[in-house]
Amino acid sequence: MSMHWKVIEDNTQRTLDMGSEPLTIGRALGNSLQVQDTLVSREHSRIEWRGEDLWVVDLGSSNGTRVNGSRVDRQQLRLGDEVAVGSVRLILEGQTDGDRAAGLGTVIEDVSSQGGDLAVFARLTRELARETDLGPLLRQIVDSAIALVGSERGFLMLADKDQAVAQGDEAGSSDPTKWQVHVARNFNQEDIPVPRTRVSMGIMGKVIEEGSALLTVDAGQDERLINMASVEDLRLRSVLCVPIPGEARIRGLIYLDNRMQMGAFEARDLELAGLFAAQASVAIRTARLITRLREQNQRLEVSRKAIESLNEQLGRKVRDREGELAVARKELGRERGRHDHSGIIGSSDAMKKVFDQLERIMDSELPVMIIGESGTGKELIARAICRNSPRKKGSFVSENCAALPDSLLESELFGHVRGAFTGAYKNKRGLLEQAHGGTLFLDEVGDMSPEMQKKILRVLQEGEVRLVGSDKVLKVDVRILAASNRDLEAMVSEGSFREDLYYRLAVLRVDLPPLRERGDDIPLLAESLLGRASREAGLPAPGLPHEVLAALARHNWPGNVRELENEMRRLVVLAQGVARLDDLSSGILRNSGTPHLTGSLESTQDAGDIKLAVADLERRSIESALTQAKGNKSQAARALGISRFALQRKLEKYGIPAQK
C-alpha cells in the first residue's frame, strides 16, 4: 500500500504522490510544494518517512502547521489525516501502485483495469471517434488527455482566426496572442474560469514557434523557460504541451500541467500525448467536415422546399397558360385553315381576311403582290407563302430594291462576269440564278427606276437573264413575290411605274392591315415579341399588366409591328419584374389617352368590402364596353385594354350574358 496526498487549494483538487523523498512545503522556490500564501513561511514544514511511519515536522513557521485542526510541532500521520499549511489542505490517502488516475472521473475511471497505457489510449481514441459535435468533442479531448497522463489541469487552444479548426483554418498563426483557449478543465472534469490567465503563453508560444512538443519536470528550474514570467507567476512545476498537427501547420495545442508536483510527467507520457494529439486532429477534422455537411444539408433542404414551392406556383401558372393556349390554338386553327401560319401572330378580323387570302393563293405558283405599310411584316407573309407553296423545297432569296442604286441592284439580281465593271474581280451569280426552282422576294418594288423595271419585266416575260458584261443568256424558273408600301396603282396612273410590270407582278394580291387596325392582336404580339427580345438580350422578360397593355392598345402605331418590337426590346432592358407605364416611351404615353368607362365609384363608396367595390366597378365597365361595341367582344376587349380571351373569362366570372 503506497500513499498519496489529495491537495486542495483555491477550490481545486490535485493528487501528489508521497515518494520516499521528504516533501517540503513553503513559499520558497526550492520547495517540493510551493505555496503562494502570505500565511506560509518560506520554509514552513516537512513531511518525511521515519522507518515505516510518516511524520510531519513544523520548521519553525510563524503561523504553524495544523493536523486535523490542531497546531503541532511534529506529528505521526495516518491515513485520512488532514495537514493544513496556510490556505492549503493536504489529505493523506492510500492507493495501489497502478491506480494512477483514480478519482479523476473521466471517460476512463480505472486506468489500471484497462490493461495499461496502450489499452487506455485505444479506448480514448474510440471514444473520440464516436463524438461528431465539435464543442463536446473538444471537451472530451481535454478530459481524456488529463486522464491519460494524470495531470492536474488541461487546456486546448486553437488559432483565433475564425476559430481555426471550427471554420476549416489549417495554417493557424505563430503569434500566441492570436490563439484562444477554447477548453480549460481540471481533473474533476470542471471548467476553469478565466482560462487565458491560467496558462503560460510563453510555453505555448515556444511550442507554436518550434512546432514540437515540450516536456518539463520542473518549469521553475528549466533553463529553456528561465526568462518566462508566466512560469513564476503561475507557480508551474510539471508541464507537458503537444501540438495538434494540421495539414499545413499546427492546428492547435494540448497543454497539461501539475502545479504542485515536480516530475509528474515522463518521456512515455510525452509520447502518448503526441499520439493522442494526432488522433485528436483526425477527430477534429472529421467533426468539422460533418458539421459542414450538416449545414450544407440544412441549406439544401431549405432550398429544396423553396424550389418545391416555386415549382408548385409555376405549375399552376403553366397549367393555366396551357389551357389558354389550347383554347387559342383551337380557335386559331379553325380560323387559319389548313396551311402552316405558325410564324404569323394574329386573330383579329383584319388578320382573318389575310389568312383567308393566303389559303387561296398558297397552292398557286403565280406572282403575288403584297401591299402594306412599312413594318407590317410583308417579308414574313412572303416566307409563309413560300413555305406552303409547291416550291417550298427550293431556295427563298430576298432583296430590298430601295436599298441599292440601279447599278448595284442590277448586279445583285442578274449577276456579272469578271471585268464587267471596276471592282468586278470575279464572276458572280445573280439572285435570279440562285433562286432557280424557288422563290425571289423583291421588297419595295415601287422604288425601282424605269430602266430596272424594264429588265425585270423581260425576266417575267421571257424567263431568262443576261449577266452584266456578258452576252450569255441563262434560263431561270423563278416565282416572284413582290411587296411595296406605296400605292402602285396611283403610280401607274401617274406613269412612274410600268403598267405592264404591275399587272405581271400583281396577278395575285395580299393587303396587310396596319397595326392600328389590329387592336385585338396587340396583347399576343406584345407577349411574343417580348419573349423574343428577352431571349436575344439574355434577360428575364418582365410582366405586362393590364394598364400597360391598355396603353399599347390605344397607341396608333405609325411604325406598325416594327415599332412594337422596338418597344418590347426597350421594356426588357428598362422594366424590373413587372413593366410600368413609366417604362413606356413618351410617344406611346402621349398618344394613348385614358379609356372612358361609364359609371362612377360613388355608388360603391358605401360598400364595406373594397374587393366587392372593385368587382362591381369591373362588371359595370365590361357591360358598358359591350354596349358601346354593340356586343362585339373584340372591340369591347380592345376598349378595356385586355385580350378577348381575358374578356371571355370575366364574362363567365360575373355571369354577364352575351349581347346581340
Side-chain angles (χ1 to χ4, degrees):
M1 173 73 72
S2 61
M3 298 182 181
H4 65 267
W5 293 100
K6 180 194 291 185
V7 183
I8 303 174
E9 180 184 13
D10 295 335
N11 294 323
T12 63
Q13 298 181 13
R14 62 195 63 84
T15 300
L16 186 61
D17 289 338
M18 186 65 218
S20 59
E21 297 296 325
L23 176 65
T24 59
I25 305 173
R27 284 192 295 110
L29 187 60
N31 287 293
S32 304
L33 180 57
Q34 185 185 17
V35 180
Q36 294 295 332
D37 189 337
T38 56
L39 298 177
V40 177
S41 302
R42 291 181 55 81
E43 306 291 341
H44 195 101
S45 58
R46 181 176 70 250
I47 300 174
E48 59 187 7
W49 289 99
R50 294 182 180 180
E52 297 295 328
D53 299 325
L54 189 65
W55 287 75
V56 60
V57 179
D58 185 79
L59 301 178
S61 64
S62 299
N63 295 297
T65 302
R66 296 180 181 274
V67 177
N68 299 326
S70 300
R71 181 167 179 170
V72 299
D73 292 329
R74 62 181 61 214
Q75 175 74 39
Q76 183 180 351
L77 300 174
R78 293 177 175 81
L79 289 176
D81 284 348
E82 178 180 292
V83 179
V85 178
S87 60
V88 176
R89 293 183 298 127
L90 295 85
I91 301 174
L92 185 60
E93 296 179 342
Q95 66 171 10
T96 62
D97 293 339
D99 196 16
R100 187 179 187 184
L104 293 181
T106 63
V107 293
I108 306 298
E109 294 187 3
D110 187 358
V111 174
S112 62
S113 65
Q114 301 302 315
D117 291 339
L118 292 180
V120 174
F121 178 83
R123 183 174 175 183
L124 290 175
T125 55
R126 286 197 302 269
E127 293 293 334
L128 292 186
R130 294 191 183 101
E131 184 60 68
T132 57
D133 289 334
L134 190 59
L137 174 65
L138 297 181
R139 290 192 292 273
Q140 183 174 334
I141 288 173
V142 176
D143 289 342
S144 300
I146 292 174
L148 185 63
V149 301
S151 66
E152 172 198 351
R153 306 183 305 169
F155 302 83
L156 189 143
M157 285 147 285
L158 301 174
D160 189 27
K161 181 182 179 182
D162 291 335
Q163 294 187 357
V165 182
Q167 301 297 329
D169 177 67
E170 294 290 350
S173 170
S174 60
D175 183 1
T177 62
K178 300 297 183 181
W179 290 58
Q180 286 186 346
V181 178
H182 286 273
V183 179
R185 308 272 280 179
N186 60 27
F187 65 89
N188 281 330
Q189 295 185 343
E190 298 171 340
D191 291 330
I192 298 176
V194 198
R196 193 174 183 86
T197 62
R198 302 293 184 93
V199 68
S200 173
M201 300 300 293
I203 293 178
M204 186 179 73
K206 183 176 180 65
V207 174
I208 294 171
E209 182 178 359
E210 296 178 357
S212 59
L214 184 146
L215 169 63
T216 178
V217 297
D218 187 357
Q221 301 298 324
D222 196 324
E223 294 182 356
R224 298 172 298 173
L225 315 177
I226 197 167
N227 293 323
M228 296 183 185
S230 59
V231 173
E232 176 66 24
D233 294 341
L234 297 171
R235 298 174 290 167
L236 298 179
R237 288 292 179 266
S238 301
V239 178
L240 194 159
C241 185
V242 293
I244 299 175
E247 293 182 356
R249 293 176 59 184
I250 296 175
R251 175 183 279 130
L253 295 176
I254 298 176
Y255 177 101
L256 305 165
D257 68 10
N258 192 316
R259 296 175 295 171
M260 293 297 182
Q261 184 178 354
M262 295 183 293
F265 307 130
E266 301 175 352
R268 181 168 178 78
D269 294 326
L270 179 64
E271 182 180 2
L272 282 173
L275 293 173
F276 181 76
Q279 294 299 316
S281 176
V282 174
I284 290 172
R285 180 171 179 81
T286 301
R288 175 177 59 83
L289 292 174
I290 291 175
T291 299
R292 185 179 299 172
L293 287 174
R294 287 171 179 165
E295 293 173 350
Q296 291 176 350
N297 287 338
Q298 291 174 355
R299 290 194 294 270
L300 288 174
E301 181 65 17
V302 172
S303 300
R304 184 187 65 80
K305 292 181 179 179
I307 291 173
E308 285 182 353
S309 176
L310 291 174
N311 283 339
E312 185 178 352
Q313 297 175 25
L314 181 60
R316 289 196 297 267
K317 292 181 180 180
V318 169
R319 287 191 295 271
D320 291 344
R321 184 58 58 88
E322 285 177 348
E324 295 175 2
L325 289 177
V327 174
R329 289 193 188 102
K330 186 179 294 185
E331 184 177 344
L332 289 176
R334 290 194 299 267
E335 296 172 350
R336 292 185 174 185
R338 58 189 176 87
H339 290 101
D340 178 18
H341 307 302
S342 56
I344 307 172
I345 299 173
S347 60
S348 61
D349 293 340
M351 287 305 295
K352 289 178 185 177
K353 295 179 182 179
V354 173
F355 292 135
D356 289 341
Q357 288 180 299
L358 293 178
E359 283 293 315
R360 290 193 294 268
I361 69 175
M362 279 183 172
D363 292 333
S364 170
E365 294 195 31
L366 296 174
V368 180
M369 175 65 72
I370 304 170
I371 301 297
E373 297 179 5
S374 295
T376 52
K378 295 186 289 294
E379 183 172 350
L380 186 64
I381 296 296
R383 289 183 179 275
I385 293 173
C386 177
R387 187 170 58 250
N388 292 279
S389 73
R391 293 176 178 260
K392 59 185 176 182
K393 294 184 179 179
S395 302
F396 178 85
V397 183
S398 64
E399 182 60 66
N400 189 327
C401 300
L404 298 174
D406 273 6
S407 57
L408 290 180
L409 181 59
E410 182 181 8
S411 173
E412 286 294 318
L413 294 177
F414 297 97
H416 62 259
V417 298
R418 179 180 178 183
F421 50 83
T422 302
Y425 298 112
K426 59 181 180 180
N427 295 341
K428 178 182 178 180
R429 297 174 65 210
L431 297 181
L432 284 163
E433 183 181 354
Q434 295 177 36
H436 179 69
T439 304
L440 174 64
F441 174 58
L442 297 177
D443 196 8
E444 307 302 348
V445 293
D447 292 298
M448 286 194 301
S449 66
E451 184 64 25
M452 183 57 63
Q453 294 176 29
K454 182 174 66 175
K455 293 179 180 180
I456 291 296
L457 178 62
R458 186 172 183 274
V459 173
L460 292 172
Q461 290 176 335
E462 306 296 335
E464 59 185 28
V465 297
R466 179 176 297 164
L467 277 68
V468 177
S470 172
D471 295 332
K472 182 179 179 181
V473 175
L474 297 176
K475 285 290 185 179
V476 293
D477 177 18
V478 178
R479 182 188 189 184
I480 293 182
L481 305 179
S484 178
N485 62 356
R486 303 174 70 176
D487 187 349
L488 294 183
E489 292 180 346
M491 294 178 65
V492 168
S493 300
E494 296 170 357
S496 57
F497 195 86
R498 294 180 64 100
E499 183 179 14
D500 47 1
L501 176 60
Y502 173 75
Y503 289 117
R504 284 280 187 177
L505 293 174
V507 178
L508 299 172
R509 173 168 170 159
V510 176
D511 292 286
L512 296 184
L515 187 55
R516 59 182 172 274
E517 297 177 6
R518 300 173 54 192
D520 291 350
D521 296 333
I522 288 178
L524 290 174
L525 281 168
E527 291 284 356
S528 176
L529 295 174
L530 189 68
R532 182 194 304 173
S534 70
R535 290 190 296 271
E536 292 175 353
L539 297 171
L544 295 178
H546 286 169
E547 61 268 19
V548 172
L549 289 174
L552 296 177
R554 292 192 295 270
H555 186 51
N556 59 8
W557 299 107
N560 292 295
V561 178
R562 187 175 295 120
E563 182 184 357
L564 178 60
E565 181 178 19
N566 291 336
E567 192 64 28
M568 293 303 100
R569 289 175 175 169
R570 171 191 175 91
L571 288 181
V572 167
V573 175
L574 297 182
Q576 296 181 350
V578 177
R580 301 176 304 170
L581 290 175
D582 293 343
D583 297 324
L584 298 174
S585 59
S586 57
I588 292 178
L589 295 177
R590 183 173 56 253
N591 295 331
S592 60
T594 302
H596 175 72
L597 297 176
T598 304
S600 169
L601 286 175
E602 295 178 358
S603 61
T604 65
Q605 287 179 349
D606 295 333
D609 190 339
I610 190 171
K611 293 182 179 179
L612 295 177
V614 172
D616 181 69
L617 176 61
E618 187 175 53
R619 179 182 56 77
R620 291 189 292 104
S621 299
I622 293 172
E623 291 174 345
S624 175
L626 284 172
T627 301
Q628 293 180 15
K630 297 180 180 180
N632 188 305
K633 295 180 182 179
S634 297
Q635 293 182 14
R638 184 163 58 251
L640 292 168
I642 60 177
S643 67
R644 189 177 186 276
F645 184 81
L647 175 61
Q648 183 62 41
R649 292 184 64 182
K650 292 181 182 296
L651 291 175
E652 295 172 358
K653 175 182 177 181
Y654 296 115
I656 301 175
Q659 298 183 13
K660 298 182 180 180

